[in-house]
């Protein structure tokens, strides 16, 4: 009997059940992938889903399943789906649910749960927990479905809640007895439906557009700030037209990189500080004025700056400061209206402003020139990433997943992106444990090659997914930038018990052997030439590959680019770095005294 036959036999005498109605409801809405970890009571959700044509990707931890699904949500604009078991699996799945909500990415978490009466009476069920109530604060919306005939509705509501307005994470609680309930198959068939327009256009009024464009017309030093909301909105050509017709410099937040190619002449990335300090009118396109942009105030910004802010969420306006021209609407409609306005009343920035930015960029680039191409060994983050850049510059369609501190910040600065929605990283929360799951989500969703770049600490949060990558033979090249620790590997224990410092990890560890353990290809790289050769080989092979890069334990700064966010003890900064160069104490990949 085939798998399909087996599931067909679950429907007897024209009866079907909650499992089948759920799967049919998902398929009706073109949700054709599911990430998860199975067990009681959802094992047959996954089996039936697979039998009916949903691609099921089994990960090794629910947090990873959720993040893989979230990556799919960001890349496609359709909610990614993930499945967890009750209580512990459910709780493991909450972190990505909240992360997706913070990032504004559509995702649907489905978790098995206990029968209502056992939970409500507190009778102590196996993995029993009042999951719906725990999910609420961590999600954009949360539903429990108690009747089999409501399953099509709960799927529809979840899709709409995930996609409409600012996207986010939605929870569906699936009690085991709902999954097991039966219903006449013909009746169930009649209940299925496809959501009509889950993400409707939200078109701002013309007077709002006029006000914004009139403010732009006053700008002597305009700036366009593109955020991941702009990437998510999937109106890449219209955004390009807006940027180019205004001649204004633009800056792209991390996951908006590639919306316009990073080598675009209006990209002000290399003169970011000066551009922000001097810009007098800033158009925010799907980027929040949160910690990442210093809340739009303080020494990083021109004190007289005026903001035009496009956001789909009205409560985002005035989040942290006065916004002169709020534009509440979806970016696709809004930028279209901006372009229409500008076709009639063109605005062009003073070329002297762009020229000043180009001059500052050249100065800054000259200061850093050499660091990425140096042949220093042991390597730094810079020259290891410079070597990877040679591969990505030759393969523009490669997706990048990225996590760490220096491994994140330096990668964002060094690796240029050429295509939209191709970079996925620690995001709004700056969270570790997203790299491999994002790589998996991107590879499963697109089938394209992915380079997944991790600090050695960051890799520890999701490293077991190497087995998943090998099991599904995904075209992912995992790169570990091993500087032997959280931020760097040369911190000292400030006590005298002889333990490693709280920041220390295994310098010279052979992470690549984890890939070999599951049948993938592992490489150990000590020089930039080796990094380039091995990463290029991994990408060209389209097969699971890992390149473990041995970096100097002195490479990196505490907390990467956000050292300033560390609170200081009264005694002053506790650094505790070894000052001597331990590089000379290395032999054949091992640290020796
Ligand atoms: P970044 O981290 O890149 O700065 P954020 O996640 O902080 O980006 O901001 C993205 C913003 O984009 C959010 O405030 C979100 O509400 C908004 N957004 C997302 N999708 C759309 C859309 N289609 N139209 C308008 N705004 C959107
Ligand atoms: C879930 C705190 C921020 S960055 C980081 C940690 C542990 C690792 C930095 O070291 P890595 O990179 O990856 O080796 P590098 O190149 O600088 O040495 N737990 C979670 N999220 C966060 N952000 C942390 C801890 C943290
Ligand atoms: Mg490290």
């Amino acid at each position: 009997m085939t798998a399909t036959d087996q599931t067909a036999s679950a429907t007897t005498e024209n009866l079907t059940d909650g499992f089948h109605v759920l799967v049919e409801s998902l398929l009706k809405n073109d949700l054709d992938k599911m990430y998860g970890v199975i067990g009681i009571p959802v094992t047959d959700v996954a089996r039936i889903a697979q039998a009916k044509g949903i691609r099921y990707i089994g990960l090794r931890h629910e947090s990873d399943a959720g993040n893989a699904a979230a990556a799919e949500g960001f890349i496609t604009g359709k909610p990614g789906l993930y499945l967890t078991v009750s209580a512990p699996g459910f709780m493991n799945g909450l972190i990505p649910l909240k992360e997706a909500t913070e990032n504004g990415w559509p995702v649907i978490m489905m978790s098995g749960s206990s029968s209502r009466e056992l939970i409500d009476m507190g009778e102590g069920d196996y993995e029993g927990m009042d999951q719906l109530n725990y999910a609420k604060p961590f999600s954009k919306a949360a539903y429990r479905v108690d009747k089999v005939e409501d399953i099509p509705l709960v799927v529809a509501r979840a899709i709409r809640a995930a996609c409409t307005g600012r996207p986010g994470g939605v929870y569906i609680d699936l009690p085991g007895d709902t999954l097991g309930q039966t219903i006449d198959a013909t009746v169930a068939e009649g209940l299925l439906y496809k959501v009509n327009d889950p993400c409707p256009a939200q078109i701002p009024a013309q007077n709002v557009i006029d006000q914004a464009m009139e403010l732009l017309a006053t700008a002597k030093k305009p700036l366009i700030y593109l955020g991941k909301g702009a990437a998510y909105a999937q109106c890449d050509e219209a955004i390009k037209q807006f940027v180019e017709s205004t001649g204004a410099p633009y800056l792209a937040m991390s996951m908006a990189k590639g919306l316009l190619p990073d080598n675009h002449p209006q990209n002000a990335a290399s003169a970011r500080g000066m551009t922000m300090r001097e810009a007098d009118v800033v158009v925010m396109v799907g980027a929040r004025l949160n910690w990442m942009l210093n809340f739009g105030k303080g020494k990083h910004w021109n004190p007289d700056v005026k903001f035009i802010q496009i956001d789909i969420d009205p409560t985002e306006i005035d989040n942290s400061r006065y916004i002169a021209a709020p534009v509440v609407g979806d970016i696709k409609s809004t930028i279209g209206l901006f372009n229409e306005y500008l076709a009639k009343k063109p605005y062009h920035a003073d070329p002297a402003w762009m020229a000043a930015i180009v001059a500052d960029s050249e100065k800054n680039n000259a200061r850093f020139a050499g660091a990425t191409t140096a042949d220093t060994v042991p390597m730094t983050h810079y020259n290891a990433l410079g070597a990877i850049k040679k591969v990505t510059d030759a393969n523009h369609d490669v997706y990048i997943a990225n996590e760490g501190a220096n491994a994140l910040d330096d990668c964002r600065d060094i690796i240029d992106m050429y295509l939209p929605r191709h970079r996925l990283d620690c995001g709004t929360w700056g969270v570790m444990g997203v790299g491999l799951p994002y790589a998996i989500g991107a590879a499963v969703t697109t089938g394209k090659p992915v380079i997944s770049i991790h600090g050695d600490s960051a890799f520890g949060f999701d490293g077991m997914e190497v087995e998943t990558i090998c099991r599904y033979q995904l075209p992912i090249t995992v790169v570990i930038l091993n500087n032997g620790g959280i931020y760097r590997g040369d911190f000292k224990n400030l006590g005298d018990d002889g333990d490693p410092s709280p920041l220390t990890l295994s310098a010279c560890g052979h992470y690549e052997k984890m890939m070999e353990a599951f049948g993938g290809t592992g490489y150990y790289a000590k020089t930039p030439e080796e990094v380039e050769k091995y990463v290029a080989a991994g990408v060209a092979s389209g097969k699971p590959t890992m390149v473990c890069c041995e970096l100097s334990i002195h490479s990196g700064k505490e907390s990467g680019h956000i050292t300033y966010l560390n609170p200081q003890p009264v005694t002053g900064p506790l650094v505790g770095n070894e000052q001597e160069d331990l590089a000379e104490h290395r032999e054949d990949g091992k640290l020796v005294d």
Side-chain angles (χ1 to χ4, degrees):
M1 234 180 5
T2 66
T4 315
D5 292 335
Q6 281 173 14
T7 69
S9 68
T11 65
T12 51
E13 299 166 19
N14 205 33
L15 282 183
T16 186
D17 53 36
F19 296 103
H20 286 85
V21 178
L22 175 64
V23 167
E24 294 299 347
S25 303
L26 299 170
L27 282 169
K28 189 87 181 172
N29 285 282
D30 304 324
L31 299 182
D32 57 1
K33 292 185 195 65
M34 188 189 291
Y35 306 84
V37 179
I38 58 83
I40 295 171
V42 295
T43 308
D44 281 342
V45 172
R47 271 203 287 243
I48 293 167
Q50 192 173 54
K52 298 277 180 189
I54 292 180
R55 185 164 192 210
Y56 180 82
I57 305 292
L59 288 96
R60 305 302 300 260
H61 193 283
E62 292 83 357
S63 186
D64 298 335
N67 281 318
E72 180 171 337
F74 173 60
I75 291 169
T76 65
K78 247 178 24 181
L81 264 188
Y82 66 111
L83 180 69
T84 75
V85 303
S86 318
F90 160 80
M91 292 193 82
N92 283 343
L94 285 182
I95 297 173
L97 190 68
K98 180 66 175 152
E99 265 169 53
T101 307
E102 290 294 318
N103 278 335
W105 294 357
V107 86
I108 298 175
M109 171 178 174
M110 304 184 300
S111 179
S113 67
S114 299
S115 304
R116 290 299 324 135
E117 66 271 20
L118 294 176
I119 295 304
D120 292 350
M121 293 292 287
E123 293 186 36
D125 194 22
Y126 166 75
E127 296 186 349
M129 189 178 172
D130 186 7
Q131 294 174 193
L132 178 64
N133 281 315
Y134 284 102
K136 280 180 183 164
F138 299 108
S139 58
K140 189 178 169 197
Y143 308 105
R144 177 171 48 234
V145 57
D146 290 315
K147 293 195 304 198
V148 62
E149 52 268 46
D150 283 340
I151 290 177
L153 186 65
V154 87
V155 168
R157 291 202 73 183
I159 292 170
R160 190 171 288 285
C163 295
T164 303
R166 177 184 293 161
V170 177
Y171 175 68
I172 302 181
D173 196 70
L174 294 170
D177 49 8
T178 309
L179 292 170
Q181 278 174 33
T182 54
I183 182 173
D184 181 89
T186 315
V187 172
E189 174 75 31
L191 292 170
L192 299 177
Y193 75 96
K194 185 170 161 65
V195 178
N196 183 9
D197 195 10
C199 181
Q202 300 195 18
I203 305 167
Q206 189 60 42
N207 66 316
V208 169
I209 300 293
D210 295 349
Q211 184 192 49
M213 292 296 93
E214 282 158 20
L215 178 55
L216 180 64
T218 67
K220 299 208 162 33
K221 294 184 174 181
L223 166 63
I224 298 168
Y225 231 122
L226 304 172
K228 60 180 173 298
Y232 177 81
Q234 296 199 20
C235 53
D236 314 328
E237 270 311 306
I239 288 175
K240 181 165 179 277
Q241 187 191 330
F242 174 62
V243 172
E244 290 183 346
S245 75
T246 59
Y250 77 89
L251 286 168
M253 298 298 288
S254 181
M255 283 188 258
K257 273 167 70 79
L259 195 42
L260 282 85
D262 273 336
N263 59 358
H264 193 283
Q266 286 164 260
N267 186 356
S270 298
R272 183 172 180 266
M274 184 201 106
T275 310
M276 284 169 62
R277 277 190 306 275
E278 295 190 16
D280 57 358
V281 175
V282 179
V283 190
M284 302 298 297
V285 189
R288 282 171 280 188
L289 288 170
N290 56 13
W291 69 276
M292 286 190 176
L293 289 174
N294 304 94
F295 307 98
K297 53 199 179 193
K299 64 180 175 22
H300 300 277
W301 292 96
N302 176 347
D304 300 320
V305 63
K306 293 195 171 70
F307 283 97
I308 299 166
Q309 184 169 16
I310 312 175
D311 208 291
I312 199 144
D313 180 353
T315 65
E316 190 54 41
I317 311 294
D318 295 331
N319 169 65
S320 50
R321 56 155 296 139
Y322 171 70
I323 300 297
V327 188
V328 175
D330 76 272
I331 289 167
K332 187 174 178 187
S333 305
T334 304
I335 294 287
L337 290 168
F338 280 6
N339 287 338
E340 274 176 29
Y341 182 105
L342 293 171
K344 288 186 220 130
K345 287 193 196 170
Y347 164 83
H348 201 280
D350 180 353
W353 168 228
M354 198 62 237
I357 289 168
V358 169
D360 193 58
S361 299
E362 281 167 2
K363 207 175 68 202
N364 291 337
N365 288 340
R367 255 198 313 149
F368 291 109
T372 53
T373 50
D375 53 11
T376 330
V377 173
M379 293 182 284
T380 62
H381 289 82
Y382 296 132
N383 63 350
L385 286 160
I388 300 170
K389 177 175 160 57
K390 291 188 184 157
V391 181
T392 52
D393 280 349
N395 294 277
H396 289 187
D397 63 348
V398 164
Y399 281 77
I400 300 287
N402 185 205
E403 62 181 345
N406 298 281
L408 173 86
D409 294 329
D410 296 337
C411 176
R412 183 182 58 234
D413 291 349
I414 291 168
I415 306 271
D416 284 338
M417 302 304 301
Y418 299 90
L419 293 170
R421 297 170 293 283
H422 273 53
R423 185 185 153 82
L424 294 96
D425 66 30
C426 303
T428 301
W429 255 8
V431 71
M432 302 302 115
V434 296
L436 283 190
Y438 284 175
I440 290 169
V444 167
T445 302
T446 69
K448 295 276 198 256
V450 182
I451 302 179
S452 192
I453 302 174
H454 310 247
D456 54 317
S457 164
F459 177 74
F461 291 75
D462 50 32
M464 195 62 219
E465 299 305 342
V466 161
E467 189 276 333
T468 306
I469 291 173
C470 290
R471 188 164 21 102
Y472 290 93
Q473 282 296 297
L474 297 173
I476 299 175
T477 300
V478 182
V479 177
I480 312 294
L481 299 177
N482 187 8
N483 60 352
I486 301 178
Y487 313 135
R488 52 195 282 168
D490 59 357
F491 291 96
K492 271 200 279 203
N493 178 341
L494 299 180
D496 56 10
D497 64 7
D499 280 343
S501 95
L503 299 92
T504 303
L505 298 170
S506 300
C508 311
H510 280 264
Y511 289 96
E512 80 287 0
K513 294 201 183 300
M514 287 179 65
M515 187 61 92
E516 291 170 358
F518 299 104
T521 303
Y523 297 106
Y524 193 81
K526 292 185 175 194
T527 67
E529 294 72 39
E530 287 170 347
V531 173
E532 182 189 347
K533 185 169 78 185
Y534 298 149
V535 173
V539 170
S541 74
K543 296 261 168 53
T545 303
M546 190 186 296
V547 184
C548 180
C549 305
E550 182 179 304
L551 265 53
S552 162
I553 59 171
H554 308 299
S555 182
K557 283 186 292 198
E558 182 156 338
S559 303
H561 290 194
I562 52 174
T563 309
Y564 68 94
L565 292 180
N566 279 311
Q568 292 297 328
V570 67
T571 48
L574 299 179
V575 176
N577 290 63
E578 292 281 0
Q579 291 307 317
E580 60 174 326
D581 186 358
L582 289 186
E584 66 205 39
H585 297 300
R586 282 169 193 268
E587 248 172 39
D588 193 24
K590 293 198 173 50
L591 277 183
V592 291
D593 288 326

